[in-house]
Amino acid sequence: MKGFCIMTAGICLIFTSCEEKPERMTVDETRELTTKDTEPKLFATSDERFRDAKPSPVEGEAPESWLVLPPAQFRELNYRFGESGISEVYVSILAGGVLENVNRWLKQFGEDPLDDEEFTAMETVPIAGARGVWVEAEGEYGAGMMGGGDSKPGYGLAGVIADVDGKIVTIKMIGPKEEVNGEKQALKAFAASLKLVK
């Protein structure tokens, strides 16, 4: 009798599992749309790929050889270049004055601060519709920096610092000095292409 009950239950299970399911089903659940629901955009800019729907306050035409990286803290635009894979260029909007930031960069190479006369004599280049000072240094990077990190010998720096409509805009290129020296003209062209997005 026990075996008969088990066999009967098994047959019932087989028949119920063979039931035809209706072709149409009604779903009555809903959820909020998210950014994951948007269609992927072909040929998206680096801002559209890396930012969470927040446009960069600056834009420019970087050389094709520069690798675009995601923005980071204090880096509105962010790039890598060179065979070493460690040379970088980034655009920042900072506090302070132009001379103050020039001297901060020079201090990172252990150089003495500029006085007003030396600052006035610096080369200027176009950047974002304004004129910025062209800054260069080479030697041991990190020699005058706080934090006690390892310093890097044989490094070079090139960059532009400008007051653009009351904002301090900087483009800083840092890396092994041979790679930096090879990209200085490209950096000047990039600086000239830069503009603030209103």
Side-chain angles (χ1 to χ4, degrees), residues 28-105:
D28 56 6
E29 294 180 8
T30 60
R31 67 174 175 81
E32 295 289 323
L33 290 176
T34 70
T35 55
K36 304 286 185 196
D37 295 304
T38 59
E39 290 290 321
K41 181 175 180 179
L42 296 176
F43 312 110
T45 66
S46 58
D47 278 337
E48 291 165 330
R49 284 184 291 157
F50 295 128
R51 289 180 183 266
D52 185 17
K54 293 185 289 188
S56 171
V58 288
E59 59 184 34
E61 296 174 22
E64 288 184 9
S65 59
W66 292 3
L67 174 67
V68 179
L69 298 177
Q73 187 177 24
F74 305 121
R75 297 184 181 203
E76 304 297 340
L77 300 175
N78 199 9
Y79 306 93
R80 283 277 170 93
F81 70 94
E83 291 184 13
S84 69
I86 57 174
S87 294
E88 53 190 353
V89 178
Y90 52 93
V91 178
S92 303
I93 298 177
L94 303 173
V98 175
L99 177 57
E100 179 183 344
N101 281 286
V102 169
N103 284 331
R104 182 173 56 81
W105 283 6

Side-chain angles (χ1 to χ4, degrees), residues 108 140-143 145-153 155:
Q108 292 170 352
E140 189 173 353
Y141 178 57
M145 291 171 67
M146 297 174 63
D150 292 337
S151 58
K152 300 170 184 176
Y155 257 52

Side-chain angles (χ1 to χ4, degrees), residues 103-173:
N103 284 331
R104 182 173 56 81
W105 283 6
L106 294 177
K107 184 178 179 183
Q108 292 170 352
F109 282 83
E111 295 191 15
D112 293 331
L114 302 182
D115 59 27
D116 289 337
E117 187 176 333
E118 292 169 317
F119 174 66
T120 303
M122 291 182 77
E123 176 186 356
T124 63
V125 295
I127 174 176
R131 298 291 296 180
V133 293
W134 178 256
V135 186
E136 290 187 37
E138 63 179 49
E140 189 173 353
Y141 178 57
M145 291 171 67
M146 297 174 63
D150 292 337
S151 58
K152 300 170 184 176
Y155 257 52
L157 172 143
V160 185
I161 302 176
D163 185 327
V164 181
D165 297 331
K167 297 177 180 177
I168 301 300
V169 178
T170 71
I171 307 174
K172 186 176 187 180
M173 174 181 279

